[in-house]
Amino acid sequence: MTEIKLASKSLTELLEKLFSDESLNPPFELKKDIVSDFNERCNKFIQLIKEYSSSNKTKLKIELLLNRVHELKDGIETCLQKFLSGDIKAAYECFESMLEPDRINKHILYVTVPLKSICNDKQPLYRVRKSDTPLSTRNDIFHIPFSKRHLVSAQRYSVAGLPCLYLGTSLYVCWQEMKKPDFDKLYISAFTTEDSNSRILNFAPSLLNNIYKDDESAISLVQRKASYLTLWPLIIACSFIKKHDNSHFMQEYIIPNLLMQWISQRIQSPIVGISYFSTRMKKSKDSLRSINVVFPPKATYKQTEENDFSPRLSSLFDFTPPVSWQVLKTLDYQNFGDKTEEQIEAMEHLKFREKRFGITDFDEDLVKLYPLTDFYKLEVCIDSIFDYDKIDALT
């Protein structure tokens, strides 16, 4: 076995151990203050690496890996402490200096994926908005206009006042992220892109085999796996579940906010957003349908003054006009077109369940049964009957 294959095998084994440990596999419930909880999980991760190294023959450069992990852990801990002590400027400067060195920055690039790999004409992304008044044009469902930035509250990957575009890989994850609102006031839209240069920072690493092409070179795959292990402290810091829904300040969002600011400031960078698993779908977190994707506007001050919408995001996507969830359901979408392969497989799974022992946990079975739900059928319907087009940033 070659050195590359041995290294790949070791990295795979380490990732499997990581994913099998609930205390290290996102999302996380905050048990203490953010600094202590983060520190404890990172120390456990470091111990996992050391134990693996001591009991396995490996070609991995364990000391180098541990050095990088410690560097990120210490840097993030300092950022948190400075932010919580009120020195927000120093917190961002610390964060920026932590990611800038090539020894760290190269790992950021290795864990990105082409936007087109998760957003294309066969696999759109979706957006859902709740509105008391009818939405009819594309600008009604794009990101909040810059002229209305006072309406933008802080979210996991966006600071107050910065209108970001939040999309999901399914209507279901969008609905979950909105805390399961009634359907009668919801409007939906599907997004695609033809852009071949833009990349997404992929914080949904357990889907490596689903997203990356089978023909990826062995060396590239080794680098990617090693980068996930290196960046795990950053992934941990971005994956805490919000503890208090109605709080004005969320310590769980400190590092995700700093990361999004860091990406936003790099206007020329090919990284245009972040993909991450929904913290509201813990039992289906290994599914491609449980991923959120957030895009910062990446706009200069002048652009925010001259345009309602981000010129970069406006040119990036083609999307359908918003359509009322309830109105779309009045169509005979249940019998719209032939059944897809996914629906046929889901029906077989349901028959198998019925014959054996039934459905004992719907949330766990939903991944395979999803093509039989209204969410999936509406996705197929909206993609089939509505046209895709771009929005004018000036509108």
Side-chain angles (χ1 to χ4, degrees):
M1 188 177 291
T2 66
E3 287 193 11
I4 293 176
K5 287 184 177 179
L6 284 171
S8 182
K9 179 176 180 291
S10 296
L11 288 167
T12 299
E13 290 172 350
L14 261 174
L15 284 168
E16 287 174 351
K17 286 182 177 293
L18 180 63
F19 294 144
S20 65
D21 191 322
E22 285 297 318
S23 67
L24 296 176
N25 191 2
F28 308 117
E29 292 184 5
L30 196 61
K31 297 178 180 179
K32 303 177 181 179
D33 68 280
I34 188 74
V35 177
S36 299
D37 199 312
F38 168 76
N39 209 8
E40 188 175 296
R41 292 180 196 276
C42 284
N43 286 337
K44 187 170 184 180
F45 173 53
I46 290 168
Q47 187 60 32
L48 180 149
I49 296 174
K50 289 180 176 178
E51 289 175 356
Y52 177 83
S53 177
S54 64
S55 58
N56 294 271
K57 291 182 179 180
T58 176
K59 292 291 184 179
L60 296 180
K61 298 178 180 178
I62 294 296
E63 286 304 316
L64 181 61
L65 172 62
L66 287 173
N67 286 341
R68 298 292 179 263
V69 168
H70 274 291
E71 185 176 354
L72 273 176
K73 170 186 172 294
D74 294 343
I76 291 171
E77 188 174 351
T78 301
C79 292
L80 289 169
Q81 291 173 347
K82 288 185 179 298
F83 195 102
L84 291 170
S85 67
D87 198 343
I88 298 173
K89 179 176 180 291
Y92 179 75
E93 289 174 347
C94 171
F95 189 84
E96 187 175 42
S97 64
M98 176 184 72
L99 295 187
E100 281 303 308
D102 183 63
R103 62 182 179 275
I104 298 296
N105 192 263
K106 67 180 180 181
H107 293 293
I108 295 286
L109 294 176
Y110 281 138
V111 300
T112 63
V113 296
L115 173 59
K116 280 192 70 174
S117 68
I118 58 172
C119 181
N120 51 67
D121 56 358
K122 293 183 179 179
Q123 183 182 324
L125 293 174
Y126 301 94
R127 180 159 169 79
V128 177
R129 276 198 63 189
K130 181 180 179 180
S131 177
D132 293 324
T133 57
L135 305 182
S136 57
T137 65
R138 287 179 175 82
N139 59 319
D140 289 330
I141 203 164
F142 206 51
H143 71 68
I144 294 175
F146 292 126
S147 59
K148 297 182 179 179
R149 62 167 71 223
H150 59 279
L151 300 175
V152 180
S153 59
Q155 298 186 58
R156 179 174 299 276
Y157 284 104
S158 56
V159 295
L162 181 68
C164 292
L165 178 64
Y166 278 83
L167 304 178
T169 52
S170 67
L171 289 178
Y172 184 68
V173 73
C174 294
W175 180 67
Q176 286 278 356
E177 288 297 310
M178 297 176 70
K179 303 177 185 177
K180 304 179 182 179
D182 292 337
F183 298 113
D184 58 346
K185 294 181 179 179
L186 295 185
Y187 290 80
I188 62 180
S189 178
F191 285 65
T192 64
T193 186
E194 292 297 325
D195 186 281
S196 299
N197 299 316
S198 297
R199 301 187 69 83
I200 297 295
L201 183 58
N202 177 34
F203 274 9
S206 61
L207 293 180
L208 281 170
N209 295 331
N210 298 74
I211 293 177
Y212 300 118
K213 295 180 180 179
D214 294 334
D215 60 357
E216 183 174 25
S217 72
I219 294 177
S220 178
L221 188 57
V222 165
Q223 291 171 331
R224 202 180 297 281
K225 290 177 179 179
S227 293
Y228 273 114
L229 288 169
T230 302
L231 295 175
W232 207 256
L234 180 60
I235 294 175
I236 289 175
C238 290
S239 304
F240 285 100
I241 299 171
K242 182 169 62 175
K243 193 170 185 178
H244 305 290
D245 272 345
N246 299 318
S247 61
H248 294 289
F249 167 70
M250 287 151 285
Q251 56 181 336
E252 302 91 335
Y253 289 2
I254 293 175
I255 299 301
N257 276 189
L258 292 177
L259 177 60
M260 184 53 76
Q261 289 179 61
W262 184 78
I263 290 175
S264 299
Q265 293 299 311
R266 280 143 188 79
I267 295 178
Q268 302 303 319
S269 169
I271 302 177
V272 296
I274 302 173
S275 63
Y276 59 100
F277 282 119
S278 169
T279 59
R280 299 182 184 277
M281 296 174 62
K282 289 189 286 185
K283 290 190 176 180
S284 54
K285 64 183 179 182
D286 290 336
S287 168
L288 276 170
R289 293 192 169 97
S290 63
I291 297 174
N292 296 308
V293 191
V294 56
F295 301 87
K298 281 204 169 191
T300 64
Y301 171 73
K302 184 178 180 180
Q303 288 175 323
T304 66
E305 288 297 295
E306 296 177 347
N307 302 277
D308 263 346
F309 303 104
S310 161
R312 181 150 187 189
L313 295 183
S314 299
S315 65
L316 195 58
F317 295 104
D318 292 275
F319 57 106
T320 64
V323 59
S324 163
W325 190 297
Q326 291 295 77
V327 170
L328 192 58
K329 282 195 67 174
T330 63
L331 297 177
D332 190 17
Y333 71 93
Q334 299 282 5
N335 299 307
F336 197 88
D338 297 328
K339 286 184 171 57
T340 66
E341 290 184 11
E342 287 184 303
Q343 287 176 313
I344 294 172
E345 290 178 4
M347 292 173 68
E348 291 300 318
H349 178 75
L350 183 59
K351 289 178 183 177
F352 172 77
R353 282 294 194 182
E354 289 174 343
K355 289 180 181 178
R356 295 294 297 272
F357 37 73
I359 295 175
T360 57
D361 191 323
F362 182 74
D363 287 337
E364 289 184 356
D365 274 298
L366 182 62
V367 173
K368 292 188 176 181
L369 295 178
Y370 186 78
L372 302 181
T373 67
D374 278 353
F375 296 100
Y376 178 87
K377 293 169 185 175
L378 288 175
E379 291 172 8
V380 173
C381 183
I382 193 173
D383 182 58
S384 301
I385 66 176
F386 290 94
D387 66 307
Y388 288 79
D389 203 352
K390 285 183 168 55
I391 190 176
D392 185 346
L394 292 171
T395 58

